[in-house]
Amino acid sequence: MKKKPGFVLRSVCGEQFLIAEGEENIDFSNLVSLNETSVFLWNAIDEEQEFTVEGLVEILLSEYEVSRDTARKDIEGLCRKMMDAGIIIE
């Protein structure tokens, strides 16, 4: 998977959102609000490099005290949500 170019993290009224920039990304029905953990993962992913669910699990486990199974389940859900919104691509 890879970040789709043109999405940036912005703070709006104290909440974090991924916002599309550029004409090709204008679809405000796909705004995604991120919690603190999701922001941490988004910032850990390099736009130029591919990433995997397992790689994100390792990143999450290095920062948070959570079981591997819980981390994997949560990351799979986050990735699915971002893929459905067109924010990450395979």
Side-chain angles (χ1 to χ4, degrees):
M1 290 177 280
K2 207 173 172 182
K3 284 183 182 178
K4 183 177 176 186
F7 285 90
V8 294
L9 185 63
R10 294 282 186 248
S11 180
V12 178
C13 296
E15 290 195 43
Q16 301 292 321
F17 290 92
L18 289 174
I19 308 249
E21 293 185 329
E23 291 181 23
E24 70 279 0
N25 289 326
I26 295 179
D27 181 359
F28 292 106
S29 65
N30 288 335
L31 288 179
V32 175
S33 174
L34 301 181
N35 64 21
E36 178 184 335
T37 307
S38 299
V39 169
F40 169 76
L41 291 171
W42 179 259
N43 288 330
I45 301 169
D46 185 324
E47 280 191 32
E48 302 299 319
Q49 307 226 347
E50 292 190 12
F51 60 91
T52 63
V53 168
E54 193 56 40
L56 293 179
V57 168
E58 293 303 322
I59 290 169
L60 189 66
L61 292 175
S62 72
E63 185 71 17
Y64 293 91
E65 289 186 29
V66 62
S67 74
R68 183 173 293 277
D69 290 338
T70 298
R72 185 175 292 109
K73 179 182 166 194
D74 290 350
I75 289 169
E76 286 172 349
L78 176 64
C79 287
R80 191 170 30 259
K81 183 177 180 181
M82 287 185 174
M83 287 187 84
D84 289 347
I87 294 170
I88 59 173
I89 53 178
E90 290 191 71

